Amino acid sequence: MLKTALRNLLAHKARQIMTLLAVCLGVAFVSGTLVFADSTAEAHRAAASKSFADIAVSVTAKEPPPGAAAHQQTSALDDALARKLAAVPGVAAVRPSVDGTAALNAADGTPLRVNPGANQAAGYVPGKDGKDSRYPLADGRAPTNSGELALDRGTVAAGHFRLGDTITLATDGPVMTKRLVGIVTTEDTRVTAGGTLALFDKATAQKLFAYPGHYTGIDLSAEPGTDQFALSRRVTGMLPADRAEATTGAAQAAQQAILVDTLTRGYEKLPLVFAGVSLFIGSFLIINTFTMLVSRRTREIALLRAIGATRRQVSRSVLLEALLVGLVASAAGFLLGLGIASVLPDILSTEGNTLPQGPLVIGPRSLVAALGVGVGVTVLAAWLPSRRAAKVAPIEAMRTTEQPPSAKRSRIRGVAGLALLVLGAGVLVSLSGAKDASEKNLQNAMVGCALLVAALIVLAPVLASPMIRLTGRLTGRFGITGHLAQQNALRDPRRTAATAATLLISTALVAGLAVIGNSTGQALDRQAAAGLGADYVISSPPMTGVDPAAVRRVADTSGVRTASAVTDSTLFTGGGVREISGVDPHTVHDVMKLDFVSGSAKDLGPGRIAVSSTLARANGVTTGGHLNAALGRNQEFRKYTVVGVYKDNPVAHDALGARSEVAHDSYLPGSVQRILVRTDGGAVSKTTEDRLRTAVGNSPLLKVQDREQFVHEAAGTMGDLLTLMYGMLAIGIVIAALGIMNTLAMSVAERTREIGALRAIGMDRSGIRRMIRLEAVTVAAFGTLLGLAGGLFGAWAVGSLANGAMPQYALALPWGTLLLVCLLSLAIGALAAAVPARRAAALSPLEAVAEA
């Protein structure tokens, strides 16, 4: 039987190639993703190890306790402590540092990578040789006074700077300008991964990020043979216990490793989703291929049974073929995966987050996953066909035609499919009135969608005949070739359904996601637009703020009618942490579209707040009632009088208070996080935007967005969903094309004599090609229509859950995307038929008719 399996595999190698490609794609995504994750992790670790290579112990300041004395508010890390640490036995060198963040404007005046986590800043702290070994100079010199600055090479290139340029930047306050005097290199992964680095002279950095004469950290290198942990204990004994602490370099490296593992796990998610989709869809292609192979070899299997082969031997023979195909696919997929791993860093990198580059790391889990996935999926998918092969009776060798499925089997399939359909549709319909996007309801919705897709797959052979007869009205317009194409598709409904299953699944996924994504995107647009009455929004990053003096400058800007400052803070309630916006009651209605259910904003004041409908329901309060809450840094709970309840508004957040009170108790007392600007006549222009940016000092920390930009950013979360949708569409189309091509190739081989007869009675080569193409288009149309029906129904049911969390949600069909899906499906059907059609047309009539 081993020889038989090998002979069959070699005899049908052309027909197995499509199966191999389908499995190869899934294996490539899985192995490529794992190799990419391992390689990225190793690149992160390599870069981090360079940063910690010379650090034995790091000393950092502790946060002062609440109510600490004035002398405890300053950092304990100063030159005196550095000198004491240098005298500790085992310390080879002491390297103080002053670190913070700073955002820069590019040479053209636009903010450069506004990302607080990536915009690094530090002090250039020279050693005895006058150089800071952490930042080797590549050009120019180090900054020596408060008016000078050095930047790393990447920042200089990104901002199009040159030595001598005036650089505009900000830390957490007013805008500063400094002259670029030096360009350095750095191995800090936060910078090399797409961030920026600004270096000040030591005194300036201490004023900005610590206190004059103090540091944010002191790194110690050890003498050869010194144990890090022993050195750490000695250093700890020299530190004020309540104001500073020591950490070994090994501990820092371990913390970095945990961070790297967390990052790389995030990188794996999206590619692994693609891998799962491709393997799931590809499994139908494998099942279909082996089913057709078993069907074609019915007489051969029957003869084997007649000469003594047992059912187990026949089943093992088919599974052995699948095993060999899986091994070849795993090897090919792993090689393709290495290519995917090499390009993923460029695909997943963004402007503010460039992934580190390094050699590919091929670990054991990548090899095991490639082998396990490729072989496992192929063998499991071939299990059902192998059972069918084992059931072939010896008497089948005497039959010349394939037996149609029994009526009993068709009835069982129909009953099972209807049961799944009723169950899945019932679950989804029951959720349609829930309007509650709880985790339980979302899980039930996923179960309902899975049952619905399973029902469509089971019912597909039953639905094939009526639906293909319906589409036959279109193919019938092509004359006899169209009629023959329809009959060929109807010849074996199970095969047609299995071939269409790949398109059914991918179309259902894409159609459902497209509808939900489009509906949610429009809802977010409406939600943001409905709550915003201003024409411009000026905002700052978290834990920073807009210069309060800038509010007056914005208000005095030409063309501005209203400039309303907003202070955002936290509101602690019994139900959790909420967001509160401090506003001016006199101007808030001019810049926010507030729809009050009861009460109004005019009564806002000390101890008086307005709350959103969601917050009111969660805490059981109404207008005139009281809400027990704590505001901002004031952790003392008190009763606030509710003066109004308004419909949920993302611009107003969960609650509204008087800005004077919210700003007083916020974590940044007196700060302003947003300025909402209303212009004369709603004018929006580049000139107005430039004036507003000038009014806030061209600060790179601040965003100046018009209404359209603000709304677009609010709906920007749909980008990942759309990327996922189009990725799955591409995978589904590729695998569906392989399936249609494989089915037609086998169908042409089965119908050799039939095609020869058609050629003999006068059908030309173009007619043969047209017939095969129309058959492929018919199958593609069948799968696409079923997939669209399932996807749209699932999107309707799942979308109703979103309506509860987002009142603006309404089902909005993306007609352009759905039409594109239909056209692509039909086109891929026609293209997939190209090779089989050409092969069929090339058959010689005499040789085909004479074939046994």
Side-chain angles (χ1 to χ4, degrees), residues 232-285:
S232 176
R233 288 193 294 271
R234 289 195 291 270
V235 168
T236 300
M238 305 291 293
L239 302 176
D242 59 338
R243 299 179 62 196
E245 60 184 348
T247 308
T248 64
Q252 289 179 293
Q255 292 175 353
Q256 184 72 12
I258 295 173
L259 174 62
V260 168
D261 289 339
T262 303
L263 286 173
T264 51
R265 279 198 299 270
Y267 297 148
E268 293 178 12
K269 290 180 180 178
L270 188 60
L272 284 179
V273 168
F274 290 150
V277 171
S278 62
L279 288 170
F280 179 66
I281 298 176
S283 63
F284 289 90
L285 172 57

Side-chain angles (χ1 to χ4, degrees), residues 23 193 214 309 446 461 501 522 530 591 656 711 728 730 829:
V23 179
H214 293 76
M446 293 177 66
Q522 291 190 19
V591 293
L656 289 173
V711 170
M728 286 192 291

